[in-house]
Amino acid sequence: MELKGQSFEGLVERAAGLIVAAKRVVAFTGAGVSTESGIPDFRSPGGIWSKYDPEDFTIQSFVRRPDTRLRVWQMLAESGLSARAQPNAAHYAIAELERMGKLTCVITQNVDNLHQIAGSSPDRVFELHGNMQWARCLDCEKRYPMEEIAEKARAGPEAPLCTVCGGMLKPDAVFFGETLPSEALMKATSYSRNCDVFIVIGSTLVVYPAALMPQYAREAGAKLVIVNLSSTPMDHQASVLLRSKAGESMSRIAESVKAKLGR
Ligand code: APR
Ligand code: ZN
């Protein structure tokens, strides 16, 4: 594929060259890194927000309206966010870069835990929007494994409740209107401000404060690599722009880094 006068292979080689020459590389992922695992993204045609109302995913609606709560639980249960989705080639390639010592951390907006399952070190994965592996009681804070709750949500007829105090259960994912987990945000900000290559994979870069991370990296003088099927507001700042699938692109980049390192 021809992009900016460069072939796909040429762009892969340029991205790999930047990564090999870099000291501190950060990967930043969005829902587009998991679509090849069967989890729909949010803003592509047919994505989550074309089927569900984002308004239902504000913490206010979730707490105030029982019908909204049930709909949210059923969407999460049916859309595979809590199902046993498997990592795809992009997740494995990102974990491989870490193993080769060419990735400092992964900052992700995803809640599907696929980076950790693919082998990225959990202490180097910063989940800005929380994680769907657990649900928490909003009254007594008791935590439940999501698998246990998803079954109840699928069955209905009402949203699952805490078995200890009868309180409202909420997934550990961050809803619109909620603050992001402070430690993950602090670490993501620090690593973004201290890297020399920042790779965006599968994100529209339209949701804040997550979308500040690539801007912090650019302000720190880092080179930007973007792997995304559609355009983003930062495309013009990318040293390498790959309008191609995450799985194939990241696999080819990891292979090229390995060859350049003589591994
Ligand atoms: N390979 C490369 N890019 C892909 C692929 C793929 N296989 N599949 C989808 N994409 C691209 C899409 O073109 C789109 O630009 O990934 C991007 C996904 O963007 P969004 O759906 O907006 O997802 P994301 O950027 O992660 O959204 C951020 O918004 O709704 C909230 O909390 C939610 O974390 C989410 C946040
Ligand atoms: Zn409780």
Short mmCIF file of all heavy atoms in Angstrom, two decimals, residues 101-154:
data_model
loop_
_atom_site.label_atom_id
_atom_site.label_comp_id
_atom_site.label_asym_id
_atom_site.label_seq_id
_atom_site.Cartn_x
_atom_site.Cartn_y
_atom_site.Cartn_z
N GLY A 101 13.40 -5.59 25.08
CA GLY A 101 13.95 -4.40 25.75
C GLY A 101 13.72 -3.13 24.95
O GLY A 101 14.37 -2.11 25.16
N LYS A 102 12.74 -3.17 24.04
CA LYS A 102 12.48 -2.00 23.19
C LYS A 102 11.09 -1.42 23.45
O LYS A 102 10.52 -0.76 22.58
CB LYS A 102 12.63 -2.35 21.70
CG LYS A 102 14.02 -2.72 21.26
CD LYS A 102 15.11 -1.75 21.70
CE LYS A 102 15.09 -0.38 21.12
NZ LYS A 102 16.21 0.48 21.60
N LEU A 103 10.55 -1.66 24.67
CA LEU A 103 9.29 -1.00 25.02
C LEU A 103 9.28 -0.77 26.52
O LEU A 103 9.48 -1.70 27.31
CB LEU A 103 8.08 -1.84 24.61
CG LEU A 103 6.74 -1.11 24.68
CD1 LEU A 103 6.59 -0.16 23.48
CD2 LEU A 103 5.57 -2.08 24.69
N THR A 104 9.09 0.49 26.93
CA THR A 104 9.12 0.81 28.36
C THR A 104 7.78 0.49 29.02
O THR A 104 7.74 -0.03 30.13
CB THR A 104 9.41 2.33 28.52
OG1 THR A 104 10.52 2.67 27.71
CG2 THR A 104 9.69 2.67 29.98
N CYS A 105 6.68 0.83 28.32
CA CYS A 105 5.36 0.58 28.93
C CYS A 105 4.27 0.65 27.86
O CYS A 105 4.50 1.13 26.74
CB CYS A 105 5.06 1.62 30.03
SG CYS A 105 4.81 3.29 29.39
N VAL A 106 3.10 0.16 28.24
CA VAL A 106 1.91 0.28 27.39
C VAL A 106 0.89 1.14 28.14
O VAL A 106 0.56 0.84 29.30
CB VAL A 106 1.24 -1.10 27.13
CG1 VAL A 106 0.06 -0.94 26.18
CG2 VAL A 106 2.25 -2.09 26.55
N ILE A 107 0.44 2.20 27.53
CA ILE A 107 -0.66 3.00 28.10
C ILE A 107 -1.89 2.61 27.29
O ILE A 107 -1.88 2.73 26.06
CB ILE A 107 -0.38 4.51 27.93
CG1 ILE A 107 0.93 4.89 28.63
CG2 ILE A 107 -1.55 5.33 28.47
CD1 ILE A 107 1.41 6.30 28.26
N THR A 108 -2.92 2.07 27.97
CA THR A 108 -4.07 1.64 27.19
C THR A 108 -5.36 2.28 27.68
O THR A 108 -5.51 2.56 28.88
CB THR A 108 -4.23 0.10 27.19
OG1 THR A 108 -5.26 -0.26 26.25
CG2 THR A 108 -4.56 -0.45 28.58
N GLN A 109 -6.27 2.53 26.72
CA GLN A 109 -7.62 3.03 27.06
C GLN A 109 -8.58 1.83 27.17
O GLN A 109 -9.74 2.02 27.49
CB GLN A 109 -8.12 3.97 25.97
CG GLN A 109 -7.22 5.15 25.74
CD GLN A 109 -7.63 5.93 24.51
OE1 GLN A 109 -8.42 6.87 24.56
NE2 GLN A 109 -7.08 5.53 23.36
N ASN A 110 -8.07 0.64 26.85
CA ASN A 110 -8.93 -0.55 26.80
C ASN A 110 -9.10 -1.16 28.19
O ASN A 110 -8.26 -0.97 29.07
CB ASN A 110 -8.34 -1.59 25.84
CG ASN A 110 -8.20 -1.03 24.44
OD1 ASN A 110 -8.87 -0.06 24.09
ND2 ASN A 110 -7.33 -1.61 23.65
N VAL A 111 -10.19 -1.89 28.35
CA VAL A 111 -10.51 -2.48 29.66
C VAL A 111 -10.54 -4.01 29.56
O VAL A 111 -11.04 -4.69 30.44
CB VAL A 111 -11.89 -1.96 30.15
CG1 VAL A 111 -11.83 -0.47 30.42
CG2 VAL A 111 -13.01 -2.28 29.15
N ASP A 112 -9.96 -4.53 28.44
CA ASP A 112 -10.15 -5.96 28.15
C ASP A 112 -9.03 -6.87 28.66
O ASP A 112 -9.08 -8.09 28.48
CB ASP A 112 -10.33 -6.15 26.63
CG ASP A 112 -9.16 -5.54 25.83
OD1 ASP A 112 -8.01 -5.52 26.32
OD2 ASP A 112 -9.41 -5.06 24.71
N ASN A 113 -7.98 -6.27 29.26
CA ASN A 113 -6.93 -7.09 29.89
C ASN A 113 -6.10 -7.89 28.88
O ASN A 113 -5.30 -8.75 29.25
CB ASN A 113 -7.61 -8.09 30.86
CG ASN A 113 -6.71 -8.49 32.01
OD1 ASN A 113 -6.04 -7.65 32.59
ND2 ASN A 113 -6.68 -9.78 32.32
N LEU A 114 -6.27 -7.62 27.56
CA LEU A 114 -5.61 -8.46 26.54
C LEU A 114 -4.10 -8.22 26.48
O LEU A 114 -3.33 -9.12 26.12
CB LEU A 114 -6.25 -8.26 25.16
CG LEU A 114 -7.70 -8.78 25.06
CD1 LEU A 114 -8.23 -8.59 23.64
CD2 LEU A 114 -7.81 -10.25 25.48
N HIS A 115 -3.63 -7.03 26.82
CA HIS A 115 -2.17 -6.82 26.85
C HIS A 115 -1.52 -7.74 27.88
O HIS A 115 -0.49 -8.36 27.62
CB HIS A 115 -1.85 -5.36 27.19
CG HIS A 115 -2.11 -4.40 26.06
ND1 HIS A 115 -1.48 -4.50 24.85
CD2 HIS A 115 -2.94 -3.33 25.97
CE1 HIS A 115 -1.90 -3.52 24.05
NE2 HIS A 115 -2.80 -2.81 24.70
N GLN A 116 -2.14 -7.82 29.06
CA GLN A 116 -1.57 -8.66 30.13
C GLN A 116 -1.64 -10.13 29.73
O GLN A 116 -0.68 -10.89 29.90
CB GLN A 116 -2.34 -8.44 31.43
CG GLN A 116 -2.19 -7.02 32.04
CD GLN A 116 -3.29 -6.06 31.56
OE1 GLN A 116 -3.75 -6.15 30.43
NE2 GLN A 116 -3.68 -5.14 32.43
N ILE A 117 -2.75 -10.56 29.13
CA ILE A 117 -2.87 -11.98 28.72
C ILE A 117 -1.83 -12.30 27.63
O ILE A 117 -1.26 -13.38 27.60
CB ILE A 117 -4.30 -12.28 28.19
CG1 ILE A 117 -5.33 -12.08 29.32
CG2 ILE A 117 -4.40 -13.71 27.65
CD1 ILE A 117 -6.78 -12.17 28.86
N ALA A 118 -1.50 -11.30 26.78
CA ALA A 118 -0.53 -11.54 25.69
C ALA A 118 0.91 -11.56 26.20
O ALA A 118 1.84 -11.88 25.46
CB ALA A 118 -0.68 -10.45 24.62
N GLY A 119 1.11 -11.17 27.49
CA GLY A 119 2.47 -11.26 28.04
C GLY A 119 3.12 -9.94 28.38
O GLY A 119 4.25 -9.92 28.87
N SER A 120 2.43 -8.81 28.15
CA SER A 120 3.00 -7.53 28.62
C SER A 120 3.00 -7.56 30.14
O SER A 120 2.03 -8.01 30.76
CB SER A 120 2.14 -6.36 28.12
OG SER A 120 2.30 -6.20 26.72
N SER A 121 4.11 -7.09 30.75
CA SER A 121 4.18 -7.12 32.23
C SER A 121 3.08 -6.23 32.81
O SER A 121 3.00 -5.05 32.47
CB SER A 121 5.54 -6.58 32.71
OG SER A 121 6.57 -7.22 32.02
N PRO A 122 2.27 -6.80 33.74
CA PRO A 122 1.16 -6.01 34.31
C PRO A 122 1.62 -4.68 34.92
O PRO A 122 0.92 -3.68 34.82
CB PRO A 122 0.58 -6.94 35.37
CG PRO A 122 0.95 -8.32 34.91
CD PRO A 122 2.28 -8.18 34.21
N ASP A 123 2.84 -4.67 35.49
CA ASP A 123 3.28 -3.40 36.13
C ASP A 123 3.78 -2.41 35.08
O ASP A 123 4.19 -1.29 35.41
CB ASP A 123 4.36 -3.67 37.19
CG ASP A 123 5.61 -4.32 36.57
OD1 ASP A 123 5.49 -4.85 35.45
OD2 ASP A 123 6.68 -4.28 37.19
N ARG A 124 3.73 -2.82 33.81
CA ARG A 124 4.11 -1.87 32.74
C ARG A 124 2.93 -1.59 31.81
O ARG A 124 3.10 -1.12 30.69
CB ARG A 124 5.26 -2.45 31.91
CG ARG A 124 6.56 -2.53 32.68
CD ARG A 124 7.63 -2.84 31.70
NE ARG A 124 8.93 -2.96 32.31
CZ ARG A 124 10.05 -2.96 31.58
NH1 ARG A 124 9.98 -2.86 30.28
NH2 ARG A 124 11.20 -3.05 32.15
N VAL A 125 1.71 -1.97 32.27
CA VAL A 125 0.49 -1.67 31.51
C VAL A 125 -0.33 -0.70 32.36
O VAL A 125 -0.73 -1.03 33.48
CB VAL A 125 -0.34 -2.95 31.23
CG1 VAL A 125 -1.64 -2.57 30.50
CG2 VAL A 125 0.46 -3.95 30.41
N PHE A 126 -0.53 0.52 31.84
CA PHE A 126 -1.28 1.52 32.61
C PHE A 126 -2.66 1.67 31.99
O PHE A 126 -2.79 2.13 30.85
CB PHE A 126 -0.51 2.85 32.63
CG PHE A 126 0.88 2.69 33.18
CD1 PHE A 126 1.99 3.06 32.43
CD2 PHE A 126 1.09 2.10 34.41
CE1 PHE A 126 3.28 2.86 32.93
CE2 PHE A 126 2.37 1.89 34.93
CZ PHE A 126 3.46 2.28 34.17
N GLU A 127 -3.69 1.21 32.73
CA GLU A 127 -5.07 1.17 32.22
C GLU A 127 -5.79 2.46 32.62
O GLU A 127 -6.33 2.59 33.73
CB GLU A 127 -5.79 -0.05 32.81
CG GLU A 127 -5.17 -1.37 32.34
CD GLU A 127 -5.74 -2.59 33.03
OE1 GLU A 127 -5.81 -2.61 34.27
OE2 GLU A 127 -6.15 -3.52 32.31
N LEU A 128 -5.82 3.40 31.69
CA LEU A 128 -6.39 4.72 32.02
C LEU A 128 -7.89 4.65 32.26
O LEU A 128 -8.45 5.49 32.97
CB LEU A 128 -6.11 5.71 30.88
CG LEU A 128 -4.64 6.07 30.62
CD1 LEU A 128 -4.55 7.07 29.47
CD2 LEU A 128 -4.00 6.64 31.89
N HIS A 129 -8.56 3.67 31.66
CA HIS A 129 -10.03 3.61 31.80
C HIS A 129 -10.46 2.41 32.62
O HIS A 129 -11.57 1.91 32.48
CB HIS A 129 -10.70 3.60 30.41
CG HIS A 129 -10.47 4.89 29.68
ND1 HIS A 129 -10.66 5.02 28.32
CD2 HIS A 129 -10.04 6.09 30.10
CE1 HIS A 129 -10.37 6.25 27.95
NE2 HIS A 129 -9.98 6.93 29.01
N GLY A 130 -9.55 1.94 33.50
CA GLY A 130 -9.89 0.84 34.40
C GLY A 130 -9.87 -0.50 33.67
O GLY A 130 -9.24 -0.66 32.64
N ASN A 131 -10.58 -1.45 34.24
CA ASN A 131 -10.45 -2.82 33.75
C ASN A 131 -11.79 -3.53 33.98
O ASN A 131 -12.44 -3.29 35.00
CB ASN A 131 -9.33 -3.48 34.58
CG ASN A 131 -8.93 -4.80 34.01
OD1 ASN A 131 -9.78 -5.63 33.72
ND2 ASN A 131 -7.64 -5.00 33.86
N MET A 132 -12.19 -4.38 33.03
CA MET A 132 -13.48 -5.05 33.14
C MET A 132 -13.38 -6.39 33.84
O MET A 132 -14.32 -7.18 33.79
CB MET A 132 -14.05 -5.28 31.73
CG MET A 132 -14.75 -4.11 31.15
SD MET A 132 -16.13 -3.64 32.17
CE MET A 132 -17.16 -5.05 31.93
N GLN A 133 -12.27 -6.64 34.49
CA GLN A 133 -12.13 -7.98 35.10
C GLN A 133 -12.85 -8.05 36.43
O GLN A 133 -13.09 -9.12 36.96
CB GLN A 133 -10.66 -8.32 35.28
CG GLN A 133 -9.86 -8.19 33.98
CD GLN A 133 -10.57 -8.80 32.77
OE1 GLN A 133 -10.97 -9.96 32.79
NE2 GLN A 133 -10.79 -8.00 31.75
N TRP A 134 -13.19 -6.88 36.99
CA TRP A 134 -13.82 -6.87 38.33
C TRP A 134 -15.03 -5.96 38.33
O TRP A 134 -15.10 -5.01 37.56
CB TRP A 134 -12.81 -6.36 39.37
CG TRP A 134 -11.61 -7.23 39.49
CD1 TRP A 134 -10.45 -7.13 38.79
CD2 TRP A 134 -11.47 -8.38 40.33
NE1 TRP A 134 -9.59 -8.15 39.12
CE2 TRP A 134 -10.19 -8.93 40.08
CE3 TRP A 134 -12.30 -9.01 41.27
CZ2 TRP A 134 -9.72 -10.06 40.74
CZ3 TRP A 134 -11.82 -10.13 41.92
CH2 TRP A 134 -10.55 -10.64 41.67
N ALA A 135 -15.96 -6.27 39.22
CA ALA A 135 -17.07 -5.35 39.52
C ALA A 135 -16.95 -5.00 41.00
O ALA A 135 -16.38 -5.76 41.79
CB ALA A 135 -18.41 -6.02 39.25
N ARG A 136 -17.44 -3.82 41.34
CA ARG A 136 -17.28 -3.35 42.73
C ARG A 136 -18.65 -2.89 43.26
O ARG A 136 -19.43 -2.31 42.49
CB ARG A 136 -16.31 -2.17 42.70
CG ARG A 136 -15.71 -1.73 43.99
CD ARG A 136 -14.53 -0.78 43.75
NE ARG A 136 -14.67 0.02 42.56
CZ ARG A 136 -15.32 1.18 42.50
NH1 ARG A 136 -15.92 1.62 43.60
NH2 ARG A 136 -15.39 1.88 41.40
N CYS A 137 -18.92 -3.14 44.53
CA CYS A 137 -20.16 -2.64 45.14
C CYS A 137 -19.96 -1.17 45.49
O CYS A 137 -19.00 -0.80 46.16
CB CYS A 137 -20.47 -3.44 46.42
SG CYS A 137 -21.86 -2.74 47.33
N LEU A 138 -20.90 -0.32 45.04
CA LEU A 138 -20.77 1.12 45.28
C LEU A 138 -21.07 1.47 46.74
O LEU A 138 -20.80 2.57 47.19
CB LEU A 138 -21.71 1.92 44.35
CG LEU A 138 -21.37 1.83 42.86
CD1 LEU A 138 -22.35 2.66 42.03
CD2 LEU A 138 -19.94 2.30 42.59
N ASP A 139 -21.62 0.48 47.49
CA ASP A 139 -21.89 0.78 48.92
C ASP A 139 -20.79 0.24 49.84
O ASP A 139 -20.16 0.97 50.56
CB ASP A 139 -23.26 0.19 49.31
CG ASP A 139 -24.38 0.92 48.56
OD1 ASP A 139 -24.14 2.08 48.14
OD2 ASP A 139 -25.43 0.33 48.31
N CYS A 140 -20.53 -1.10 49.70
CA CYS A 140 -19.56 -1.65 50.68
C CYS A 140 -18.21 -1.93 50.05
O CYS A 140 -17.30 -2.46 50.71
CB CYS A 140 -20.13 -2.94 51.30
SG CYS A 140 -20.12 -4.34 50.18
N GLU A 141 -18.04 -1.58 48.72
CA GLU A 141 -16.73 -1.71 48.04
C GLU A 141 -16.31 -3.17 47.80
O GLU A 141 -15.21 -3.41 47.34
CB GLU A 141 -15.62 -1.00 48.85
CG GLU A 141 -15.74 0.53 48.91
CD GLU A 141 -15.50 1.21 47.56
OE1 GLU A 141 -14.54 0.82 46.88
OE2 GLU A 141 -16.29 2.07 47.18
N LYS A 142 -17.17 -4.16 48.16
CA LYS A 142 -16.75 -5.55 47.89
C LYS A 142 -16.51 -5.72 46.39
O LYS A 142 -17.23 -5.17 45.57
CB LYS A 142 -17.84 -6.52 48.35
CG LYS A 142 -17.52 -8.00 48.05
CD LYS A 142 -18.51 -8.97 48.67
CE LYS A 142 -18.42 -10.39 48.12
NZ LYS A 142 -17.09 -10.91 47.83
N ARG A 143 -15.44 -6.47 46.01
CA ARG A 143 -15.11 -6.70 44.59
C ARG A 143 -15.51 -8.11 44.17
O ARG A 143 -15.41 -9.05 44.96
CB ARG A 143 -13.60 -6.52 44.37
CG ARG A 143 -13.18 -5.06 44.22
CD ARG A 143 -11.71 -4.86 44.54
NE ARG A 143 -10.83 -5.61 43.65
CZ ARG A 143 -10.38 -5.18 42.47
NH1 ARG A 143 -10.78 -4.01 42.03
NH2 ARG A 143 -9.55 -5.87 41.74
N TYR A 144 -15.99 -8.24 42.92
CA TYR A 144 -16.42 -9.54 42.39
C TYR A 144 -15.71 -9.79 41.05
O TYR A 144 -15.61 -8.85 40.25
CB TYR A 144 -17.92 -9.52 42.09
CG TYR A 144 -18.84 -9.35 43.30
CD1 TYR A 144 -19.04 -8.09 43.88
CD2 TYR A 144 -19.51 -10.44 43.84
CE1 TYR A 144 -19.88 -7.93 44.98
CE2 TYR A 144 -20.36 -10.29 44.94
CZ TYR A 144 -20.54 -9.03 45.50
OH TYR A 144 -21.38 -8.88 46.59
N PRO A 145 -15.27 -11.05 40.77
CA PRO A 145 -14.73 -11.35 39.44
C PRO A 145 -15.84 -11.16 38.40
O PRO A 145 -16.97 -11.61 38.61
CB PRO A 145 -14.33 -12.82 39.53
CG PRO A 145 -14.41 -13.21 40.97
CD PRO A 145 -15.31 -12.23 41.66
N MET A 146 -15.54 -10.50 37.28
CA MET A 146 -16.57 -10.13 36.31
C MET A 146 -17.30 -11.37 35.76
O MET A 146 -18.51 -11.34 35.57
CB MET A 146 -15.94 -9.36 35.15
CG MET A 146 -16.95 -8.82 34.16
SD MET A 146 -18.22 -7.82 34.96
CE MET A 146 -17.34 -6.29 35.14
N GLU A 147 -16.57 -12.45 35.56
CA GLU A 147 -17.24 -13.64 35.00
C GLU A 147 -18.47 -14.02 35.83
O GLU A 147 -19.50 -14.35 35.29
CB GLU A 147 -16.25 -14.80 34.95
CG GLU A 147 -15.40 -14.77 33.69
CD GLU A 147 -16.19 -14.37 32.44
OE1 GLU A 147 -17.12 -15.08 32.05
OE2 GLU A 147 -15.91 -13.27 31.89
N GLU A 148 -18.31 -13.91 37.14
CA GLU A 148 -19.40 -14.28 38.07
C GLU A 148 -20.63 -13.40 37.82
O GLU A 148 -21.77 -13.84 37.83
CB GLU A 148 -18.88 -14.04 39.48
CG GLU A 148 -19.28 -15.03 40.57
CD GLU A 148 -18.59 -14.62 41.87
OE1 GLU A 148 -17.38 -14.95 42.00
OE2 GLU A 148 -19.24 -13.93 42.69
N ILE A 149 -20.39 -12.14 37.56
CA ILE A 149 -21.49 -11.16 37.45
C ILE A 149 -22.10 -11.18 36.06
O ILE A 149 -23.31 -11.03 35.89
CB ILE A 149 -20.95 -9.73 37.73
CG1 ILE A 149 -20.16 -9.70 39.00
CG2 ILE A 149 -22.06 -8.71 37.72
CD1 ILE A 149 -20.98 -9.90 40.23
N ALA A 150 -21.25 -11.41 35.03
CA ALA A 150 -21.75 -11.31 33.65
C ALA A 150 -22.89 -12.29 33.42
O ALA A 150 -23.89 -11.97 32.78
CB ALA A 150 -20.61 -11.56 32.67
N GLU A 151 -22.77 -13.50 34.01
CA GLU A 151 -23.83 -14.50 33.86
C GLU A 151 -25.15 -13.93 34.41
O GLU A 151 -26.19 -13.95 33.76
CB GLU A 151 -23.48 -15.78 34.64
CG GLU A 151 -22.65 -16.76 33.81
CD GLU A 151 -23.09 -16.81 32.36
OE1 GLU A 151 -24.30 -17.05 32.11
OE2 GLU A 151 -22.25 -16.52 31.47
N LYS A 152 -25.09 -13.35 35.62
CA LYS A 152 -26.32 -12.81 36.25
C LYS A 152 -26.89 -11.69 35.35
O LYS A 152 -28.10 -11.61 35.15
CB LYS A 152 -25.98 -12.19 37.62
CG LYS A 152 -25.84 -13.19 38.74
CD LYS A 152 -25.74 -12.48 40.10
CE LYS A 152 -25.27 -13.45 41.20
NZ LYS A 152 -24.60 -12.74 42.29
N ALA A 153 -25.97 -10.87 34.78
CA ALA A 153 -26.44 -9.75 33.95
C ALA A 153 -27.13 -10.28 32.70
O ALA A 153 -28.19 -9.79 32.29
CB ALA A 153 -25.26 -8.88 33.57
N ARG A 154 -26.55 -11.34 32.11
CA ARG A 154 -27.16 -11.90 30.89
C ARG A 154 -28.56 -12.40 31.21
O ARG A 154 -29.50 -12.22 30.46
CB ARG A 154 -26.29 -13.06 30.38
CG ARG A 154 -25.31 -12.69 29.26
CD ARG A 154 -24.64 -13.94 28.69
NE ARG A 154 -23.45 -14.26 29.48
CZ ARG A 154 -22.23 -13.77 29.20
NH1 ARG A 154 -22.09 -12.95 28.19
NH2 ARG A 154 -21.19 -14.06 29.94
#
